[in-house]
Amino acid sequence: MSAVDGWGSANRYALEIAAGHVQSRAIRQRGNVIMKLDLASTAFLAQLASLGAPGFHEMEPEEARLAGGQIAESYPPGPDMASVRDETITGSDGAGFRVRVLSPTETPRAALIFYHGGGWVLGDIDQYDTLGRQLAKRTGAAVILVDYRKAPENRYPAAAHDAYDALTWVDANITSIAGKRVPIIVAGDSAGGNLAAVVAQRAKAENGPDISLQLLVYPVTDGAMNTPGYANPDNQLLLNTPLMEWFWDHYAPNKKDREEPGASPARAKDLSGLPPALVVTAEYDVLRDEAEAYGEAMQAAGVPVTIKRFDRQMHNFFAMPGLLPAAATALEYVGQQIDRHLATSSEVDAVIVGAGFAGMYQLHKLRQQGLSTRVIERADDVGGTWYWNRYPGARVDIESMAYSFSFDEELEQEWTWKEKYSPQPEILEYAQHVADRFDLRRDITFETSVTRALYNEDTARWNVYTDSGEVISAQYLIMATGCLSAIKTPDIPGADTFKGETYITGLWPHEGVDFSGKKVAVIGTGSSAIQAIPHIAEQADQLTVHQRTPAYSMPAFNRPLEETEIQQMKTTYRDYREAQRNHLAGIPYPERNLMPAAAEGDNERKARLETAWESGILTALTSSYMDVLSNQDANDLVSEFVRDKIRARVKDPETAETLAPKTYPLGTKRPCLDTNYYETYNRDNVRLVDLHKTPIQEITPTGVRTTSGEDSYDAIVFATGFDAMTGALERIDIRGINDMALKDKWADGPHTYLGLSVAGFPNLFTITGPSSPSVLSNMIVSIEQHVDWISDCIAWMRDNGHTTIAATEKAETEWAIHNEQAANLTLFPQANSWYIGANVPGKPRTFMAYIGGVDVYRHICDSIASDNYQGFETA
Ligand code: NA7
């Protein structure tokens, strides 16, 4: 709904009455003046002017309140809150008044007391509900709207008393409002700004509650009404001199009262020692000059004050949410100022998001370089993917000794892997060992999620928000959020109606699950399902697997490692690491055969593929010929070899054919390693449902309904994967220059330079970000390369006196073109894989990993760095 539409749908009676509020005559006669307003405000005033009606000051207060209330009904509803509660406070003089506590969905990081405008005569907390909610959502503060007593029924100082009583009530109840002691902000617009200023002065004079900030939106500050704006009708849009006189006459008819600072805060003799203030004004507002004068007077008295005038705006624009775009702009501005204000208490050089392998190593490196660093992690321990994926059978499918850190030789030597492919608990133990060994936990804040990160162009720093209400200011923001960490929530109709047990492989209960005696459904047949299914089948009474796309899987031949091979590896680690770094996928053995598949006869080829099969190494089949991933015929030969293996492993020919993938080339979706996966379908208690033949229609309260009927289950296991590569980044509201949201920038797919940096987002780094080799490689090899590169870049910046670095658009485009060309040389784009975003409905289809190889990519990154970070802009 546009601003004008919103207004147009408002009650006509309200419009007519409000029209007088605008000085319609002045508007008609001075069209040149109102055209100085922005378009929406001009249209808004023109609509009011065309209606013609008495001004508020020509009405009785009750009638004016009614009109004001009806105008407010055209505001859109505000955002949802965690809770909204109205309370009645008994003030110090015994009178009661209402407050409304709006609690944001995050733990509040401040309490913002808002006094509404309306000349002490009009307005109430219902009319400010939308603005209050918007403020709570944007600032992360609990907002307390105050329904102070109004004039003329209750003249000065009733409103000022209530305003102060609201402050002391909030101060006394801060832990029930915010969960802990948080900073208090007093805020208000127009007459409400007056009350906020008055409250701040009284709190100072009486040594009352600590106020962290005053937010004064075009506040009334002086009953003398003698600033230049009062003499200039051109400057009086939506509020004019007669209406101000009417307000003052109702609030403080006694002229002597108006001279007191309790009514006119600008009259206070000493403004020093007041809390910092943010004064917001509008260019065409009768209150502009007195508001700015008050701000300047506080400044002169040594108070930190920011005065922000919104050009081409009129009085009241801030409090018309949804009607004027400028209201949203001003709200964002105020939000950022409050962010800055609250952020100053927590400052570090770098914030790292995520304490998986990437976050841990990055913390270690930056610490070594002397940077103060905080890691924010949503889990209660380190480990990332290995913390969350605890489903039965979860294990690494790259050899354990290759899937480990190389940066510290002592670490390599002291840690001994027990199996060829370690199970999840052992890898988690390794992550914990790394955290202990390098004393990482002291800089990691656990059980906390980053919800927003906003780049502040003035300070060239990031404000990083957490769901615990903290804001951290950091020069560098490093996303170590993982490529496969944002769970794809089950996108099947009715998924939330199932009454039995529901499990998601990537969010497995820590205490484990006992499926004994149960009828279990598994949905999905990717790597996670393939690992879990044999274990679930052994426990469950019956297991039904729902397969949409079959995977190519080969046996892992997992086994305990022998002492001799452990020792052999430990003595040759350096050479092995070197080979990893210079290999396409960071998995150097078996070596890639540089011969095309067609160059060998059937028998030699069969022998070669058998050897690859027996190795139980993930990349062995795709490495068997140089063209397996780029030539359809070559791929067909290898794919058919695997299909024959599946046929040999599964007794029932129909089930075997269903399990044999035929719709995409081998290797173009993530291949899998398994232990007894296909053999599991030979069990009597296991059944396969081919969703291509009988698609799922819905999940019901008791089971799963496909086009062939409904089956009931005790438990459903969703092994349905992740919103890969971009999901974890886009779920955080990351905003760069000009408030550009990363999610918007990536609306048609991720744009990055090297998968490390994003144009328009200075000092933001993404470890194994989209368009880097990441998931096409051994993740640990890629993580180490990225962390080393980022750390070197930061060191270089410091050595050369640069405070910011960001990719240029040009470099980003060049990288995107190169990426696309590289992908198009292969068969990868043919498959509907998560590499391409095809698994998430509505996700743009782009190939999200660099296919040129870890070795080539490393070379490119190093060349760019040694060429003074070509493609980056520094400041
Ligand atoms: P994957 O590999 O994305 O597998 C998810 C599976 O779930 C896959 O078989 C999907 O079929 C299937 N799926 C997803 N949504 C549905 C719906 N709505 N209906 C039916 N089937 C569905 O995730 P994993 O957790 O197994 O593995 C992720 C990576 O982690 C893995 O590759 C390793 O790198 C580690 P689809 O193929 O989309 O037709």
Side-chain angles (χ1 to χ4, degrees):
M1 185 199 286
S2 77
V4 175
D5 290 342
W7 183 252
S9 65
N11 180 299
R12 183 165 173 98
Y13 171 72
L15 282 175
E16 287 179 0
I17 293 177
H21 197 35
V22 180
Q23 273 220 328
S24 55
R25 187 177 44 80
I27 290 158
R28 284 202 202 96
Q29 289 170 0
R30 296 187 179 81
N32 61 327
V33 172
I34 64 165
M35 279 317 290
K36 288 179 185 164
L37 293 174
D38 72 9
L39 203 73
S41 307
T42 306
F44 173 84
L45 287 188
Q47 265 193 320
L48 289 185
S50 69
L51 294 169
F56 283 157
H57 57 285
E58 291 161 304
M59 300 180 198
E60 289 304 311
E62 265 312 315
E63 201 184 1
R65 283 174 197 155
L66 182 67
Q70 284 172 325
I71 294 168
E73 276 172 20
S74 61
Y75 300 156
D80 287 343
M81 296 282 104
S83 70
V84 176
R85 62 189 167 98
D86 282 7
E87 300 232 6
T88 300
I89 298 178
T90 306
S92 50
D93 60 6
F97 62 95
R98 260 192 326 158
V99 294
R100 177 168 302 163
V101 182
L102 300 164
S103 301
T105 46
E106 298 160 20
T107 312
R109 62 191 181 110
L112 187 152
I113 308 171
F114 196 92
Y115 307 108
H116 67 79
W120 309 279
V121 176
L122 313 176
D124 61 30
I125 59 178
D126 296 322
Q127 294 170 23
Y128 274 70
D129 188 79
T130 297
L131 177 63
R133 285 167 186 256
Q134 289 180 340
L135 274 166
K137 179 162 193 276
R138 176 58 189 80
T139 63
V143 169
I144 298 93
L145 298 174
V146 183
D147 225 357
Y148 54 84
R149 285 170 291 167
K150 288 190 283 279
E153 296 87 341
N154 298 283
R155 298 191 194 275
Y156 172 80
H161 276 175
D162 291 351
Y164 192 76
D165 289 339
L167 169 69
T168 55
W169 180 83
V170 168
D171 186 58
N173 292 281
I174 196 84
T175 46
S176 79
I177 291 170
K180 60 175 189 279
R181 182 146 284 282
V182 290
I184 295 177
I185 298 170
V186 291
D189 63 321
S190 198
N194 166 279
L195 295 174
V198 166
V199 160
Q201 289 191 4
R202 185 169 160 195
K204 181 192 100 172
E206 297 181 8
N207 213 3
D210 275 346
I211 294 172
S212 170
L213 180 72
Q214 317 174 60
L215 166 61
L216 310 178
V217 181
Y218 32 75
V220 183
T221 63
D222 195 344
M225 290 188 285
N226 58 6
T227 47
Y230 282 95
N232 179 6
D234 282 352
N235 198 38
Q236 302 185 3
L237 299 179
L238 272 187
L239 178 64
N240 56 16
T241 304
L243 185 53
M244 272 312 298
E245 281 167 352
W246 187 78
F247 284 144
W248 274 115
D249 287 344
H250 283 305
Y251 181 51
N254 182 342
K255 296 268 158 58
K256 273 263 170 261
D257 286 345
R258 291 187 201 175
E259 286 167 16
E260 289 182 12
S264 296
R267 304 239 153 193
K269 290 203 172 54
D270 177 13
L271 297 176
S272 66
L274 284 171
L278 171 60
V279 179
V280 173
T281 64
E283 186 177 7
Y284 293 99
D285 182 358
V286 66
L287 297 177
R288 182 192 78 191
D289 297 335
E290 68 182 275
E292 292 179 1
Y294 184 60
E296 284 157 13
M298 285 193 287
Q299 243 163 11
V303 178
V305 179
T306 303
I307 300 173
K308 171 72 178 176
R309 179 191 294 184
F310 280 84
D311 290 338
R312 306 178 73 206
Q313 295 308 319
M314 60 193 173
H315 184 74
N316 208 47
F317 81 101
F318 186 76
M320 294 200 283
L323 296 190
L324 301 177
T329 309
L331 180 74
E332 178 55 28
Y333 173 81
V334 164
Q336 292 205 13
Q337 293 302 313
I338 290 177
D339 296 345
R340 264 176 86 172
H341 178 76
L342 296 177
T344 48
S345 56
S346 186
E347 282 203 5
V348 287
D349 293 324
V351 164
I352 299 167
V353 188
F357 282 82
M360 286 199 294
Y361 180 40
Q362 185 68 77
L363 169 61
H364 176 62
K365 282 289 283 191
L366 293 186
R367 257 197 204 162
Q368 283 181 325
Q369 292 179 202
L371 273 79
S372 59
T373 305
R374 286 269 305 273
V375 180
I376 307 298
E377 166 57 55
R378 68 190 158 112
D380 66 9
D381 201 357
V382 297
T385 226
W386 299 105
Y387 174 94
W388 297 103
N389 286 270
R390 298 175 189 233
Y391 58 83
R395 63 178 68 240
V396 65
D397 54 15
I398 286 169
E399 287 176 290
S400 311
M401 288 188 293
Y403 189 84
S404 58
F405 281 127
S406 74
F407 68 85
D408 189 285
E409 289 186 35
E410 284 180 14
L411 171 66
E412 276 174 344
Q413 293 301 323
E414 75 196 9
W415 184 266
T416 299
W417 294 101
K418 299 190 193 72
E419 294 180 51
K420 180 182 176 192
Y421 295 114
S422 297
Q424 172 270 334
E426 195 179 343
I427 306 172
L428 184 57
E429 207 182 306
Y430 174 72
Q432 290 164 339
H433 170 74
V434 171
D436 293 340
R437 191 184 193 289
F438 298 101
D439 190 18
L440 299 179
R441 286 195 177 85
R442 69 183 152 90
D443 286 325
I444 306 175
T445 306
F446 292 106
E447 293 182 86
T448 304
S449 294
V450 169
T451 54
R452 281 201 294 256
L454 308 179
Y455 183 69
N456 185 317
E457 289 169 59
D458 297 335
T459 56
R461 294 177 72 84
W462 285 91
N463 279 346
V464 183
Y465 299 75
T466 73
D467 61 355
S468 66
E470 192 181 6
V471 184
I472 311 162
S473 165
Q475 184 181 3
Y476 300 102
L477 174 61
I478 303 175
M479 305 304 292
T481 38
C483 296
L484 293 157
S485 50
I487 301 281
K488 184 171 89 92
T489 38
D491 50 5
I492 301 168
D496 53 352
T497 64
F498 183 63
K499 294 269 187 287
E501 299 160 29
T502 303
Y503 302 101
I504 296 177
T505 46
L507 281 178
W508 205 258
H510 287 201
E511 63 280 10
V513 180
D514 184 3
F515 290 113
S516 306
K518 294 193 172 139
K519 280 179 78 176
V520 182
V522 169
I523 299 178
T525 51
S527 307
S528 304
I530 280 177
Q531 291 186 331
I533 282 167
H535 294 265
I536 298 173
E538 274 177 18
Q539 258 189 7
D541 189 34
Q542 287 175 41
L543 170 64
T544 305
V545 177
H546 297 77
Q547 171 187 277
R548 191 161 70 180
T549 313
Y552 290 94
S553 185
M554 60 189 276
F557 299 114
N558 186 36
R559 57 179 173 77
L561 287 170
E562 287 172 19
E563 192 52 36
T564 48
E565 56 191 333
I566 294 169
Q567 286 318 317
Q568 162 74 10
M569 187 66 161
K570 284 191 178 181
T571 51
T572 56
Y573 254 136
R574 296 280 55 78
D575 293 341
Y576 185 81
R577 299 306 193 190
E578 198 50 30
Q580 281 189 302
R581 292 189 188 107
N582 293 304
H583 180 268
L584 181 82
I587 308 168
Y589 306 109
E591 276 174 23
R592 191 157 170 244
N593 176 12
L594 296 178
M595 185 192 286
E600 274 188 328
D602 287 352
N603 288 344
E604 290 102 325
R605 188 165 50 243
K606 182 137 193 342
R608 184 183 294 280
L609 294 179
E610 282 296 346
T611 308
W613 185 262
E614 294 299 321
S615 74
I617 306 274
L618 193 66
T619 49
L621 285 169
T622 48
S623 300
S624 56
Y625 295 103
M626 61 166 287
D627 51 355
V628 176
L629 290 172
S630 56
N631 178 300
Q632 188 68 57
D633 292 340
N635 192 285
D636 285 346
L637 292 168
V638 184
S639 297
E640 189 56 22
F641 172 84
V642 177
R643 284 191 285 268
D644 280 344
K645 288 287 186 191
I646 295 169
R647 289 170 188 130
R649 289 171 76 183
V650 180
K651 285 187 189 144
D652 174 49
E654 198 186 327
T655 304
E657 278 318 308
T658 307
L659 287 166
K662 299 175 193 94
T663 55
Y664 63 98
L666 171 128
T668 57
K669 287 181 83 148
R670 177 68 153 73
C672 306
L673 283 189
D674 70 88
T675 300
N676 293 331
Y677 173 64
Y678 293 108
E679 291 75 5
T680 297
Y681 292 93
N682 298 332
R683 297 174 65 105
D684 291 338
N685 67 335
V686 177
R687 183 169 71 101
L688 180 66
V689 174
D690 182 354
L691 297 181
H692 276 297
K693 285 195 186 136
T694 56
I696 295 180
Q697 289 181 315
E698 63 170 341
I699 290 177
T700 67
T702 52
V704 179
R705 188 200 309 279
T706 67
T707 49
S708 74
E710 182 177 348
D711 288 305
S712 54
Y713 297 104
D714 301 311
I716 299 179
V717 175
F718 291 95
T720 43
F722 300 87
D723 183 354
M725 328 286 283
T726 52
L729 293 166
E730 290 186 347
R731 287 178 189 188
I732 300 172
D733 184 12
I734 303 176
R735 288 168 190 266
I737 286 174
N738 291 331
D739 200 35
M740 186 194 340
L742 188 71
K743 197 173 166 37
D744 293 341
K745 170 160 177 159
W746 288 3
D748 62 349
H751 301 269
T752 74
Y753 185 35
L754 305 171
L756 270 163
S757 171
V758 183
F761 295 76
N763 291 2
L764 171 77
F765 294 105
T766 50
I767 301 178
T768 64
S771 312
S772 72
S774 63
V775 292
L776 296 180
S777 68
N778 177 340
M779 285 305 290
I780 306 283
V781 175
S782 283
I783 283 170
E784 286 196 325
Q785 186 248 331
H786 264 197
V787 169
D788 289 342
W789 192 94
I790 292 165
S791 309
D792 289 348
C793 176
I794 289 173
W796 173 82
M797 287 173 69
R798 300 204 147 196
D799 288 348
N800 289 279
H802 300 304
T803 47
T804 62
I805 189 165
T808 64
E809 297 271 355
K810 184 167 170 283
E812 206 171 68
T813 306
E814 249 181 85
W815 182 244
I817 292 168
H818 173 58
N819 250 277
E820 199 183 335
Q821 282 172 343
N824 287 340
L825 292 173
T826 72
L827 303 173
F828 276 90
Q830 292 185 23
N832 285 325
S833 65
W834 53 256
Y835 297 144
I836 221 157
N839 65 327
V840 176
K843 192 163 172 170
R845 196 180 166 104
T846 55
F847 198 75
M848 294 184 288
Y850 178 58
I851 220 161
V854 165
D855 45 354
V856 172
Y857 175 78
R858 177 185 301 276
H859 182 77
I860 295 170
C861 291
D862 290 349
S863 308
I864 285 169
S866 58
D867 194 9
N868 279 325
Y869 292 85
Q870 197 192 65
F872 288 89
E873 274 168 345
T874 50

